[in-house]
Amino acid sequence: MISSHLPVLQVVVPLLAAPLCVLLKRPAVLWAFSLIVSILSAVMAYLLLQQTADGNIISYAMGGWAAPWGIEYRVDTLNAYVLLIVASISSLVLLGGRKSIEKEIETARLSHFYTAYLLCFAGLLGITITGDAFNVFVFLEISSIASYALISLGRDRRALTAAYQYLIMGTIGATFILIGIGMMYMVTGTLNMHDLAQRLPEVSNSRTLMTSFAFLFVGVSLKLALFPLHLWLPNAYTYAPSIVSAFLAGTATKVAVYVLMRFIFTVYGIEYAFTALPLSAILMLLAIAAIMLASMSAVYEDNIKRLFAYSSVAQLGYMVLGISFLSVAGLTSSLLHLFNHALMKAALFMALACVMYQQGNVLMGNIKGLGKRMPWTFGAIVIGGLSLVGVPLTVGFISKWYLILAAIEAGHMLLVAIVLVGSLIALVYVWKLVEQGYFQEGDEKITKQEAPMSLLLGTWFLVLANIYFGIDTSLTVGVAESTAQQLLGVSP
Amino acid sequence: MILATTAIALLIAMMMTLIRAILGPSIFDRVLAVNAFGTKIVLFLGVIGFLTERPDFLDIALLYALINFITTLAILRFFESGVLISHEDKEAE
Amino acid sequence: MMLELIVNYISYAMLLLGSFLSLTFGLGLLRFPDFYSRMHAAGVADTLCAGLIIFGLMLQAGLTLISVKLFLILLFIWFTSPTSSFTLASTAYRCGYGTNDKGEQA
Amino acid sequence: MSTFLELYNYWIFIFLMMTGFYIVIAQGNLIKKVIGLNIFQTSVFLLYISMGKVANGTAPILIEGGAPYSNPLPHVLILTAIVVGVSTTAVAMALIVRIQEAYGTIEEQDIHEQDASL
Amino acid sequence: MEQLINVILLAMLAIVAIATAKLKDLFATIILFGIYSLLTAAIFVSLDAVDVAFTEAAVGAGISTILILSTIALTARTEKPSTHSVFLPLLVVIVTGVTLVYGTLDMPGFADPDAPVQQHVAPRYLNDSINEVGMPNVVTSVLASYRSYDTMGEVVVIFTAGISVMLLLSSVKHREDELGNLKDLKHHPILLYVSQIMIPLILLFALYVQFHGDFGPGGGFQAGVIFAAAFILYGMINGIDNTRKIFQNHILRWLAVTGVILYIGVGVVTLFLGGEFLNYNVLTEDNLAGQHYGIFLVELGVGIAVAATMLSLFLTFSEVRRSQ
């Protein structure tokens, strides 16, 4: 029974666990419960990935109603891959995050916090797995509403305005997506993605369809924080509680990238998106702008969380750049970066959670001598930073390597240069951190003062994953490549 | 035909109350207008139900009447507290 | 047959009268000079027009569940509309709207 | 001209959408923004419901001789969307109450000024 | 005729929208917003979407308006004149509008029975749902059976909102100030008397809407809102504190959780009975009876969850005191 119902259990288990969380009281129980649910999800995602690895597509008809009349879950390698990313990042973040959560969130609110966390998590899983266009919107809203609340829990009052800003922009984005879906429905009469894909070519010269594409693209870009629609992201990540930043940085934008890929490649089809519309050029331009401008903003940033948030916008640029090549190599690099960036950012934000735990802020001026005070934490930041730059033996290197290969393959030598310059800028801001941490003298009186073991353990788990997947690339590259081939319809 | 005339007459009356709600000038005029508007729309829905030969939609009209009452009270409750009365409201036009 | 015709005509008359009154009172709401007289127009319209129109519709529907529902709506309007009008007026008065300090109309 | 009347509902949808959207991005008051957001969303509901309408149709509640019926699917979708809308509004209002408590104002500009002066 | 009514209603809607944008008095804006919702709902009725009209009226003119009102009462009534440059917003809005106009030019005509929307997917609901689900109200069939999973998402959304609001407002200090909290309306004897008659009737109406959703407009969500509305009325007239005595926080929380779990639980039970998630056919041997049980249960879940969440939203907002 379990294996055939795996797709629905993937979402229903956290969804069922969330309301139960409200009824629990003890912090330790809450934490353990959420962690178990999260790990369970990760295991299920792994099983799904295994089942779909050979190009097999699992279809699950909700309520027993065949698609397109009912809602269908349709799992292929891409879904399973993103599901695994979301579930494992969530598990790892929760694993190490208990101390940080309990420090930053009042005890009385903990049960609601974990409920919101699980709802957000379930929402993200739901977006990723569904094969129904409208269902995407419903789960998008579950995860968004929960994340507004989660972000607003930050201690700084600016967390409130950040959450409000995100709410407004997120709702505009979601409504744009709704308009896009509506117009798509209008010309085809169906909401099922697979069915849409088959019916859209018939109406491909309709202006309504083109408008629907424009609205969907802008709506998803808002959620994805694609440059210049990224304005909500830096504030949201900066002022959210540390663990929430780590979780969202590792998952939310990745799911948005997935939605973009799904709509471009599966629903509208390559033919329509790239031949009828100049999507490739648009994506490329936006990606270049994101890489250059967001990286530059990061250099001048004084708050380290915000620094990494800007770097996230830049990194999203790399993913979009990969998509714009419309080649197996390009898509492989995007998919790889999806996973790799999730690992990097989760690790970095977890490390920042350690810093936050000890000193209550993460301003550049206050991390002087941090390398001595918190050697392990700072070590994690340095390795994560190197990964961000793309130094060999880290995951960052792998995705950049494939991206450069794809650029060379496509004959865009300028883009190779841009990727390299982007990495150089990343090196600049990482170096700024290193300089502050290792070469500036901090407060002499404070001696060694490391973060709690559990937090460090979670952080280093992620850091080691950064290194492991930087060395042993067989799993990630293999999956990414076969997924890319599937998406482009190229037989391996 | 008669029903249609009634519907149109109600629509015009709705339009008039709407203008009152927009013009104000005081908040009480607006509340008055919204209340009158609610009653008109309830009647309008009743007539529409007959016009389209689906009078079982009267449930909706009933709900409107209910919601209208509650909203009016909700607004009035805030006046009672006095928190929201601005200076202009106390002055005659 | 005859009876049916008469009932129909009565119903039409009520509907037409109701719509005429709703228009006049609408005009009153729009044109009367001050809040309290506007309130008078709206209040009368609510009860009288609603009564006429709904009774008109009830005559059309005959003795069915629909009539019962219509009657409920009417009851509802007759209960709530004067209540909220009264509450509104008394609140406005208490807040001192449109009156001078002695409580006389300005 | 026939197309204009045929698509009248859609023009109004576009107009309302533009109005709502304008309120959201141009107004500085946080509550006003949310009201704009609601108008914006409602306009999309109108789009969906309009596309489900069938000429001379009636509500999709089956009765004898009732056909043709309007399309029930957009209705179902919009029911969900309305719920999403009220949920967003509720959360936005809670945020605004908190912002008022923390900043003493709900004007975007004043908030920016306060943040900048830190 | 229908066309004319539609055109007038839509024109009024446009007027209200403009007025909403222009007015600086937030109180006036919210009153207009209430009218706006009622109008939208009336348009939905004229476009045959009665269930949607039901919900829009209850939610837009009812719950949303009351929540926004409470917030205005806690913050400020008038808005400051904006010193923003209007150029950029106007440009963005116009670009969006033009894009949409461009898109509409190719749209199938309004109410065209041959439009793709009417050709694919929907005919099955209209033709076969009576045999497959067995309910005259096709909207309920689609909502609670064909696309029941979306509806589950909907319940979770409202639950999420409830949790989020509690997370946000639980820490706000409930202090009294010289302006006092929002009073009850007990000193209006007429109101008190009328409400005593009304509230039981409203509750009865809510029950009717809950269980009549198979045959007419209505269902769990609408019933839940009406149920909450009855107690909101009670709360406004008899005071929030008295209402809280009946509905303490933990009771509402339990109820909301019960509603959500009931919905998802039905799905889980169908899994154990060997069907797909939310496949009601497996609940009994007879498919139609199974569908009926399933829909009854999930609608009940929706009703409970929505009523509890809405009421708790209202109470939570009402308990926040105005701070200076």
Side-chain angles (χ1 to χ4, degrees):
Chain A
M1 175 195 138
I2 297 284
S3 71
S4 64
H5 292 299
L6 215 47
V8 69
L9 287 175
Q10 176 82 63
V11 179
V12 165
V13 168
L15 216 50
L16 196 61
L20 290 176
C21 252
V22 178
L23 308 176
L24 299 176
K25 283 264 151 46
R26 303 235 328 256
V29 178
L30 276 165
W31 171 76
F33 183 67
S34 311
L35 181 63
I36 289 169
V37 168
S38 193
I39 290 175
L40 212 60
S41 292
V43 171
M44 287 192 275
Y46 183 72
L47 291 176
L48 276 176
L49 187 61
Q50 268 192 337
Q51 286 182 17
T52 54
D54 46 354
N56 188 14
I57 293 174
I58 307 171
S59 164
Y60 187 89
M62 289 292 162
W65 300 110
W69 294 279
I71 291 170
E72 183 194 20
Y73 267 9
R74 214 177 154 76
V75 194
D76 60 12
T77 337
L78 178 60
N79 299 99
Y81 177 67
V82 180
L83 284 174
L84 186 60
I85 296 177
V86 173
S88 44
I89 293 292
S90 163
S91 310
L92 289 174
V93 165
L94 273 181
L95 181 69
R98 185 184 156 196
K99 281 270 163 55
S100 171
I101 292 171
E102 282 167 22
K103 176 140 183 158
E104 289 182 34
I105 315 281
E106 293 152 44
T107 316
R109 290 180 177 183
L110 271 178
S111 68
H112 286 38
F113 169 83
Y114 280 107
T115 311
Y117 182 94
L118 281 180
L119 285 169
C120 185
F121 175 57
L124 291 171
L125 293 176
I127 301 169
T128 311
I129 199 168
T130 187
D132 188 277
F134 191 79
N135 204 238
V136 170
F137 169 76
V138 175
F139 278 87
L140 185 70
E141 284 297 335
I142 296 178
S143 71
S144 301
I145 291 177
S147 62
Y148 307 145
L150 289 174
I151 290 169
S152 72
L153 288 175
R155 279 295 166 90
D156 195 308
R157 67 175 177 177
R158 276 169 289 185
L160 296 169
T161 40
Y164 180 84
Q165 195 184 16
Y166 182 26
L167 183 142
I168 294 290
M169 294 190 79
T171 311
I172 291 175
T175 313
F176 270 40
I177 293 175
L178 197 60
I179 295 177
I181 293 172
M183 291 190 153
M184 225 158 43
Y185 173 62
M186 194 173 216
V187 290
T188 58
T190 180
L191 288 165
N192 184 281
M193 288 183 185
H194 186 61
D195 201 26
L196 275 171
Q198 285 173 340
R199 291 175 151 260
L200 283 178
E202 290 170 31
V203 287
S204 61
N205 50 8
S206 147
R207 290 174 183 172
T208 312
L209 187 65
M210 200 174 281
T211 314
S212 86
F213 185 83
F215 273 90
L216 259 176
F217 181 69
V218 174
V220 178
S221 300
L222 261 167
K223 284 282 172 193
L224 187 151
L226 184 61
F227 195 86
L229 303 171
H230 66 282
L231 294 169
W232 58 268
L233 186 136
N235 277 333
Y237 284 11
T238 309
Y239 300 116
S242 310
I243 291 304
V244 175
S245 304
F247 172 63
L248 288 180
T251 55
T253 44
K254 311 296 167 288
V255 170
V257 173
Y258 157 80
V259 174
L260 187 68
M261 285 186 180
R262 181 57 80 196
F263 273 108
I264 291 180
F265 291 104
T266 311
V267 178
Y268 285 96
I270 304 159
E271 197 98 320
Y272 184 76
F274 288 89
T275 320
L277 301 172
L279 188 64
S280 186
I282 296 173
L283 287 177
M284 215 174 265
L285 273 175
L286 293 177
I288 294 170
I291 294 170
M292 302 307 288
L293 296 173
S295 301
M296 291 307 286
S297 310
V299 173
Y300 296 106
E301 214 22 89
D302 201 38
N303 185 322
I304 302 172
K305 267 176 119 178
R306 192 193 283 270
L307 184 154
F308 284 130
Y310 272 116
S311 120
S312 270
V313 177
Q315 303 290 324
L316 286 163
Y318 291 116
M319 291 175 219
V320 173
L321 191 64
I323 298 176
S324 77
F325 290 139
L326 189 63
S327 63
V328 173
L331 262 184
T332 309
S333 82
S334 286
L335 289 166
L336 272 174
H337 206 45
L338 211 66
F339 181 71
N340 294 346
H341 181 242
L343 282 182
M344 291 177 219
K345 275 290 146 64
L348 281 167
F349 277 108
M350 281 296 280
L352 290 182
C354 299
V355 179
M356 199 77 175
Y357 186 87
Q358 281 303 341
Q359 56 179 43
N361 70 53
V362 285
L363 296 176
M364 206 52 118
N366 291 348
I367 63 159
K368 285 180 181 145
L370 198 69
K372 282 184 196 140
R373 264 180 288 147
M374 302 172 73
W376 285 100
T377 307
F378 202 73
I381 294 182
V382 171
I383 296 177
L386 291 178
S387 187
L388 212 52
V389 177
V391 173
L393 295 185
T394 60
V395 283
F397 172 72
I398 305 297
S399 33
K400 289 243 168 86
W401 175 251
Y402 275 86
L403 189 62
I404 289 175
L405 281 185
I408 294 173
E409 188 191 283
H412 289 295
M413 294 319 278
L414 188 68
L415 289 179
V416 178
I418 282 171
V419 173
L420 290 176
V421 170
S423 305
L424 270 180
I425 303 176
L427 187 60
V428 173
Y429 56 71
V430 172
W431 175 252
K432 263 179 76 183
L433 285 176
V434 174
E435 194 193 335
Q436 291 284 330
Y438 283 136
F439 301 114
Q440 295 272 351
E441 283 303 313
D443 202 337
E444 300 279 315
K445 281 167 242 161
I446 304 167
T447 45
K448 209 169 154 183
Q449 195 182 43
E450 197 46 275
M453 200 57 190
S454 64
L455 257 173
L456 271 184
L457 212 66
T459 313
W460 271 89
F461 220 115
L462 280 157
V463 171
L464 289 176
N466 264 298
I467 298 172
Y468 175 80
F469 288 107
I471 297 168
D472 177 15
T473 58
S474 57
L475 177 70
T476 47
V477 174
V479 173
E481 211 157 23
S482 70
T483 311
Q485 280 162 348
Q486 256 182 45
L487 276 180
L488 290 172
V490 187
S491 48
Chain B
M1 197 54 220
I2 303 284
L3 283 172
T5 320
T6 315
I8 298 290
L10 283 171
L11 272 177
I12 296 171
M14 272 155 75
M15 204 85 103
M16 289 173 180
T17 41
L18 186 60
I19 294 171
R20 178 49 68 205
I22 292 172
L23 292 180
S26 78
I27 201 73
F28 299 110
D29 286 289
R30 293 187 212 273
V31 179
L32 177 65
V34 78
N35 197 24
F37 190 88
T39 320
K40 296 282 184 318
I41 214 162
V42 170
L43 296 177
F44 175 72
L45 282 181
V47 176
I48 283 282
F50 276 82
L51 204 60
T52 55
E53 287 160 17
R54 296 297 294 264
D56 43 335
F57 300 160
L58 288 173
D59 296 351
I60 302 178
L62 196 56
L63 176 77
Y64 271 47
L66 161 70
I67 292 292
N68 194 33
F69 182 56
I70 292 182
T71 332
T72 312
L73 285 191
I75 297 169
L76 289 176
R77 198 167 72 106
F78 292 102
F79 288 135
E80 290 284 316
S81 64
V83 181
L84 290 164
I85 301 297
S86 70
H87 191 58
E88 296 90 63
D89 289 333
K90 293 186 182 168
E91 285 173 7
E93 302 133 48
Chain C
M1 215 64 229
M2 192 63 192
L3 190 70
E4 213 169 86
L5 214 62
I6 294 172
V7 166
N8 246 342
Y9 277 123
I10 297 176
S11 137
Y12 288 156
M14 285 177 122
L15 284 173
L16 283 180
L17 190 61
S19 24
F20 174 72
L21 285 178
S22 78
L23 282 177
T24 33
F25 288 127
L27 207 60
L29 184 67
L30 205 55
R31 298 288 300 157
F32 276 162
D34 65 295
F35 169 70
Y36 292 98
S37 48
R38 285 197 282 263
M39 159 151 277
H40 163 75
V44 177
D46 273 0
T47 38
L48 189 57
C49 288
L52 280 170
I53 290 179
I54 287 183
F55 268 121
L57 291 178
M58 276 165 79
L59 289 181
Q60 298 257 314
L63 257 180
T64 52
L65 181 68
I66 293 160
S67 277
V68 177
K69 276 189 194 170
L70 279 169
F71 185 70
L72 276 177
I73 293 177
L74 186 61
L75 209 65
F76 207 104
I77 292 180
W78 274 353
F79 263 119
T80 59
S81 182
T83 313
S84 38
S85 289
F86 166 75
T87 321
L88 177 62
S90 85
T91 314
Y93 185 77
R94 256 191 254 185
C95 292
Y97 173 65
T99 55
N100 61 21
D101 292 339
K102 287 169 195 154
E104 289 157 8
Q105 189 123 10
Chain D
M1 207 51 208
S2 71
T3 18
F4 177 81
L5 261 189
E6 260 180 33
L7 295 172
Y8 181 75
N9 276 41
Y10 301 126
W11 301 129
I12 293 285
F13 144 65
I14 294 173
F15 177 80
L16 293 176
M17 197 226 83
M18 286 168 75
T19 318
F21 196 25
Y22 180 77
I23 299 177
V24 180
I25 54 182
Q27 304 269 6
N29 184 292
L30 301 188
I31 294 182
K32 195 72 175 280
K33 271 175 186 286
V34 177
I35 294 176
L37 208 58
N38 268 302
I39 292 179
F40 180 40
Q41 290 177 319
T42 317
S43 73
V44 182
F45 304 163
L46 193 61
L47 166 75
Y48 271 77
I49 301 298
S50 297
M51 72 171 97
K53 169 79 180 162
V54 176
N56 300 319
T58 176
I61 299 172
L62 306 179
I63 48 167
E64 296 251 338
Y69 297 104
S70 286
N71 190 342
L73 186 51
H75 303 180
V76 175
L77 305 181
I78 290 314
L79 278 175
T80 310
I82 290 177
V83 177
V84 168
V86 70
S87 307
T88 317
T89 307
V91 176
M93 287 303 135
L95 273 170
I96 291 172
V97 170
R98 287 287 305 277
I99 289 174
Q100 163 80 21
E101 203 197 31
Y103 287 84
T105 174
I106 53 161
E107 296 288 335
E108 209 174 35
Q109 221 159 354
D110 298 350
I111 293 170
H112 280 313
E113 275 162 22
Q114 284 192 30
D115 277 345
S117 67
L118 275 178
Chain E
M1 189 61 225
E2 241 176 73
Q3 191 94 16
L4 182 67
I5 291 175
N6 209 6
V7 166
I8 297 178
L9 284 173
L10 283 168
M12 281 205 260
L13 202 60
I15 295 171
V16 180
I18 298 175
T20 317
K22 294 211 90 166
L23 284 174
K24 289 282 164 213
D25 182 346
L26 283 176
F27 226 134
T29 316
I30 189 62
I31 287 171
L32 282 182
F33 180 70
I35 292 186
Y36 181 87
S37 281
L38 283 180
L39 268 174
T40 327
I43 291 168
F44 289 158
V45 173
S46 89
L47 292 176
D48 299 339
V50 278
D51 277 282
V52 183
F54 221 94
T55 317
E56 174 64 31
V59 166
I63 301 291
S64 284
T65 307
I66 291 175
L67 289 184
I68 299 177
L69 265 174
S70 321
T71 315
I72 294 176
L74 293 166
T75 53
R77 186 179 143 184
T78 42
E79 126 183 63
K80 277 193 181 170
S82 172
T83 50
H84 273 279
S85 137
V86 292
F87 176 69
L88 190 66
L90 215 55
L91 185 75
V92 172
V93 168
I94 288 173
V95 167
T96 328
V98 168
T99 318
L100 276 173
V101 170
Y102 176 79
T104 48
L105 294 178
D106 257 5
M107 278 183 186
F110 172 64
D112 180 4
D114 296 324
V117 176
Q118 321 294 358
Q119 296 304 318
H120 190 47
V121 180
R124 155 129 181 216
Y125 297 143
L126 290 170
N127 298 331
D128 299 343
S129 74
I130 193 77
N131 303 324
E132 289 175 345
V133 184
M135 299 202 165
N137 188 348
V138 186
V139 175
T140 304
S141 306
V142 180
L143 182 92
S145 188
Y146 291 102
R147 292 185 74 88
S148 159
Y149 193 69
D150 262 355
T151 311
M152 183 187 90
E154 172 187 327
V155 181
V156 176
V157 167
I158 197 89
F159 178 74
T160 313
I163 292 294
S164 302
V165 170
M166 280 189 196
L167 260 178
L168 277 160
L169 293 185
S170 61
S171 74
V172 174
K173 289 169 194 75
H174 296 183
R175 63 185 132 154
E176 311 256 352
D177 56 11
E178 74 277 13
L179 290 162
N181 55 41
L182 291 167
K183 286 178 192 160
D184 49 52
L185 295 167
K186 272 187 197 157
H187 50 280
H188 285 291
I190 301 179
L191 211 54
L192 201 60
Y193 187 72
V194 167
S195 74
Q196 273 168 9
I197 307 171
M198 300 294 303
I199 289 171
L201 280 178
I202 299 174
L203 289 177
L204 211 61
F205 181 49
L207 285 178
Y208 168 78
V209 171
Q210 169 82 48
F211 298 117
H212 193 253
D214 315 352
F215 307 100
F221 186 80
Q222 292 90 334
V225 176
I226 299 172
F227 221 80
F231 289 106
I232 289 175
L233 185 59
Y234 180 86
M236 289 195 302
I237 290 169
N238 295 297
I240 299 302
D241 299 338
N242 283 327
T243 321
R244 260 293 186 224
K245 274 179 202 149
I246 316 171
F247 293 104
Q248 284 162 6
N249 230 333
H250 67 269
I251 295 180
L252 287 176
R253 204 155 50 208
W254 265 98
L255 279 174
V257 171
T258 314
V260 178
I261 301 257
L262 181 59
Y263 202 126
I264 306 179
V266 171
V268 174
V269 168
T270 57
L271 277 186
F272 279 106
L273 292 175
E276 286 91 350
F277 190 70
L278 291 171
N279 183 351
Y280 310 134
N281 285 343
V282 294
L283 287 177
T284 53
E285 280 177 15
D286 177 24
N287 279 357
L288 278 186
Q291 291 285 344
H292 271 262
Y293 283 131
I295 291 177
F296 177 83
L297 287 173
V298 297
E299 290 269 21
L300 198 65
V302 176
I304 296 173
V306 168
T309 314
M310 292 294 177
L311 192 57
S312 121
L313 285 179
F314 169 75
L315 291 175
T316 314
F317 271 95
S318 303
E319 280 169 344
V320 181
R321 305 293 195 245
R322 190 180 164 90
S323 66
Q324 287 300 308

